[in-house]
Amino acid sequence: MNITQNSIDNLNSVLSVTIVKDDYKEKVEKALNNYRKNATIKGFRKGQVPMSFVKKQFEKSIIFDEVNQLLQTGLNDFIQKEKISILGNPLPKVNESLDWDADTLNFEFELGLAPEFDVDLTKIKADTYKIEVNEEEVQKYVDNFSKRFGTMKTLEKVEDGANVKVLMKELDADKNVVEGSEKEIYLFVDELAKPKKLIGKKIGDLVVLKSKEISEDALNLEQILSWTPEKAKEFTGELQFEILEITAMEASPVDQSLFDKVYGEGAVKDEKEFRQKIKEEAEKMYVRETDKQMMNEVVEELIKETKFDLPTEFLSRWLVFSNENIETEEEAAKQLKKEENGLRYQLIESKIAEKYDLKVEYADVENAMRNIIKEQLAMYGQANMPEEDLERIVQGSIQNQQEFQRMADQVFADKMMQAFKDNVKLKEKKLTFDEFVKLMEEKNAQHHNHDHAHDHDHDHEH
């Protein structure tokens, strides 16, 4: 077999493949002999079928299979050996006059070549965000911890923030109790004092309410009263509640006992340290979100600033050939337009990985897996698991191919993120979490409008 590459331009070339009979003759003869030995054909004893009959029946399809196998292996080997970077796969050129009986078979395959370009991260500018947690937000965390680690107290009467255990009964039009409708539930009286009529009531009191006095939202009502969606939507009668128990969570005092419960014994010495720790932890929690946004902005800039052409005509033809849902080159061109930025970034990402030597080693994946498992165990109070037990869990997870791949992708993404942080010109913007959310909403809206306008123009051209 002989393969030669003929360049058309920087993005397209053709591979010419010549296969002679000697390349596949031996394998075809072996396959025919196997057929002859094992074929069960009416009128002949097993193994006694004439070779002429076997050839007539099977030779063409065996030659076809063997040649295709040769082509596949030969093309892959040639592309790897010559270090040709291609997009898609080799696309066979149709040859209507191919004679499968000829001593020499000639094939041609189109190649779409990956473009040559360079990426310089130091020329890219993007914003990075630091969410500052203000004192008001810190206070919300303090209040939350204080409530969470508080103690339950019994109240004499219902007040705002009380949890009220009631015996609920449905009433019919004549105010009589509907048989079998009794149910014990809990009603939480929130800061909007809904249901208002419970405020000030004591144990043993009876209160009659319409369902909308508990909640005007059917989904909410369904959850509070443990009803089906249909019942929550359709019920128009009244409900009687007998108060059985009134409790409320009494907030824990903000003292050493609370600090120890939240962060472990002795980790925090006083309220000032406690508030500082809350601020740091909360800001750390937002880092993944702000990093993700920074990464999106860097990727957008990279796609905009890294100029190169793609073999679009080849890719359109290849999409028609390889995707059964795409029937015409026009459809393929539209699909390609939608996927173009993704394809461009894949090429840019590969170039960055090569230039900045971003490799994912087995040890990297193993360490990342170990760290994540340690974090998860700590969350469930098992921070001091024996090393050998931890290692068994780590190795078990790493043997799972899907888990390994997921972690390898995460390690690569983290390395790419670090390359951006080390090389891109990043301008830090400090803002509150609410300001960050508002900014993201505005950016997403702009993005959506841009995409919509782009799609509209594209459709118009066709």
Side-chain angles (χ1 to χ4, degrees):
M1 178 167 58
N2 184 43
I3 303 178
T4 53
Q5 182 182 6
N6 307 303
S7 181
I8 295 170
D9 55 39
N10 289 341
L11 296 172
N12 297 275
S13 69
V14 173
L15 294 184
S16 300
V17 186
T18 303
I19 292 179
V20 294
K21 260 191 180 163
D22 283 349
D23 292 327
Y24 57 83
K25 186 178 168 188
E26 201 177 306
K27 284 188 176 177
V28 171
E29 282 174 1
K30 193 177 173 185
L32 286 170
N33 281 324
N34 278 340
Y35 269 109
R36 188 176 178 224
K37 272 185 211 164
N38 301 310
T40 308
I41 296 171
K42 203 173 176 183
F44 298 102
R45 286 210 308 272
K46 192 173 178 181
Q48 297 300 310
V49 184
M51 183 53 89
S52 58
F53 186 88
V54 173
K55 277 189 173 182
K56 193 177 175 187
Q57 290 285 95
F58 304 113
E59 189 175 34
K60 278 269 183 357
S61 65
I62 293 172
I63 290 173
F64 183 78
D65 288 346
E66 288 300 333
V67 167
N68 271 326
Q69 190 57 50
L70 274 171
L71 285 170
Q72 205 173 340
T73 311
L75 289 170
N76 284 343
D77 290 350
F78 183 83
I79 288 166
Q80 279 184 2
K81 190 177 144 207
E82 298 296 320
K83 295 188 171 68
I84 307 169
S85 291
I86 65 169
L87 300 178
N89 283 318
L91 183 61
K93 280 183 137 184
V94 178
N95 181 358
E96 300 288 356
S97 60
L98 185 67
D99 178 9
W100 285 92
D101 293 323
D103 288 344
T104 304
L105 299 173
N106 294 307
F107 301 92
E108 285 191 320
F109 291 85
E110 293 179 72
L111 296 184
L113 306 178
E116 287 293 324
F117 64 95
D118 186 36
V119 180
D120 188 351
L121 287 181
T122 61
K123 288 185 178 166
I124 301 296
K125 292 176 184 174
D127 289 330
T128 180
Y129 304 94
K130 180 172 173 26
I131 293 177
E132 292 191 308
V133 175
N134 57 30
E135 281 306 306
E136 195 183 325
E137 284 180 74
V138 170
Q139 189 58 49
K140 281 181 191 169
Y141 278 101
V142 172
D143 294 344
N144 200 337
F145 284 135
S146 193
K147 274 183 194 165
R148 200 195 309 170
F149 293 100
T151 50
M152 191 69 80
K153 64 173 179 178
T154 304
L155 301 178
E156 284 186 19
K157 58 183 182 181
V158 179
E159 59 185 51
D160 184 26
N163 212 19
V164 187
K165 185 182 180 184
V166 295
L167 180 64
M168 179 178 80
K169 299 173 183 176
E170 291 173 32
L171 302 179
D172 62 19
D174 299 321
K175 310 274 188 192
N176 295 316
V177 173
V178 175
E179 204 176 323
S181 67
E182 288 191 7
K183 188 191 288 181
E184 280 188 7
I185 63 163
Y186 284 90
L187 292 175
F188 180 71
V189 181
D190 64 16
E191 58 206 27
L192 299 171
K194 225 178 201 331
K196 283 180 184 173
K197 288 184 184 173
L198 289 183
I199 296 278
K201 299 298 178 188
K202 297 179 180 175
I203 290 172
D205 286 352
L206 296 178
V207 183
V208 175
L209 299 171
K210 290 189 171 75
S211 62
K212 68 177 180 186
E213 289 179 285
I214 299 161
S215 176
E216 285 168 23
D217 182 88
L219 182 64
N220 207 11
L221 199 64
E222 172 195 329
Q223 289 166 342
I224 296 168
L225 304 181
S226 301
W227 278 354
T228 62
E230 293 72 34
K231 183 160 185 177
K233 223 176 267 183
E234 292 161 13
F235 186 80
T236 54
E238 290 183 316
L239 300 161
Q240 177 188 286
F241 299 98
E242 181 187 347
I243 297 175
L244 304 177
E245 194 181 280
I246 310 162
T247 55
M249 185 63 85
E250 187 169 42
S252 162
V254 181
D255 58 12
Q256 193 61 47
S257 157
L258 178 64
F259 310 153
D260 290 349
K261 282 174 190 163
V262 176
Y263 289 118
E265 206 167 320
V268 167
K269 304 282 190 300
D270 54 32
E271 189 175 346
K272 189 182 173 188
E273 275 188 30
F274 183 55
R275 296 179 79 89
Q276 184 57 32
K277 181 101 171 151
I278 287 173
K279 183 178 163 72
E280 286 167 10
E281 296 276 313
E283 286 177 354
K284 208 187 288 178
M285 230 168 42
Y286 294 135
V287 167
R288 198 164 267 285
E289 285 305 309
T290 53
D291 274 357
K292 202 159 65 175
Q293 183 54 35
M294 177 271 283
M295 195 148 189
N296 289 345
E297 292 191 20
V298 172
V299 167
E300 214 168 289
E301 278 301 300
L302 278 166
I303 291 168
K304 198 166 79 180
E305 296 299 324
T306 312
K307 310 287 188 198
F308 54 80
D309 292 325
L310 291 168
T312 46
E313 284 180 21
F314 165 82
L315 287 170
S316 294
R317 287 197 299 278
W318 177 70
L319 275 175
V320 174
F321 176 78
S322 61
N323 190 327
E324 58 187 30
N325 297 320
I326 297 175
E327 292 177 4
T328 65
E329 279 190 35
E330 191 178 5
E331 280 175 47
K334 280 190 178 185
Q335 186 65 24
L336 193 58
K337 200 74 184 159
K338 280 182 192 168
E339 294 173 11
E340 187 177 329
N341 278 353
L343 176 57
R344 283 181 178 277
Y345 183 63
Q346 274 179 15
L347 291 167
I348 292 167
E349 191 179 62
S350 297
K351 188 66 78 174
I352 293 169
E354 186 189 330
K355 184 169 180 174
Y356 295 90
D357 198 27
L358 307 183
K359 292 190 186 113
V360 176
E361 308 285 352
Y362 183 86
D364 296 332
V365 181
E366 197 175 30
N367 289 334
M369 190 80 84
R370 189 176 291 108
N371 291 337
I372 286 219
I373 289 168
K374 271 185 180 174
E375 276 176 33
Q376 288 170 344
L377 289 169
M379 274 168 62
Y380 293 107
Q382 296 183 56
N384 300 317
M385 177 178 275
E387 203 59 39
E388 61 201 47
D389 292 345
L390 172 67
E391 217 42 47
R392 200 162 38 246
I393 297 171
V394 171
Q395 294 310 320
S397 298
I398 227 162
Q399 296 311 315
N400 179 323
Q401 194 53 46
Q402 238 175 338
E403 279 295 295
F404 183 88
Q405 192 52 53
R406 190 177 63 79
M407 194 52 68
D409 292 344
Q410 186 57 55
V411 169
F412 180 75
D414 290 345
K415 289 192 176 208
M416 186 63 70
M417 175 79 75
Q418 199 52 52
F420 288 172
K421 285 181 177 179
D422 292 344
N423 297 285
V424 172
K425 287 194 177 78
L426 294 171
K427 183 181 172 189
E428 186 176 86
K429 288 188 173 178
K430 292 181 179 178
L431 27 69
T432 66
F433 180 68
D434 289 343
E435 287 168 341
F436 177 71
V437 170
K438 193 178 169 203
L439 185 74
M440 294 312 98
E441 283 169 356
E442 284 168 7
K443 282 183 181 286
N444 288 339
Q446 283 170 10
H447 213 71
H448 176 75
N449 291 340
H450 171 74
D451 287 350
H452 180 73
H454 177 81
D455 287 348
H456 178 76
D457 289 344
H458 183 66
D459 290 343
H460 182 68
E461 282 165 18
H462 286 283

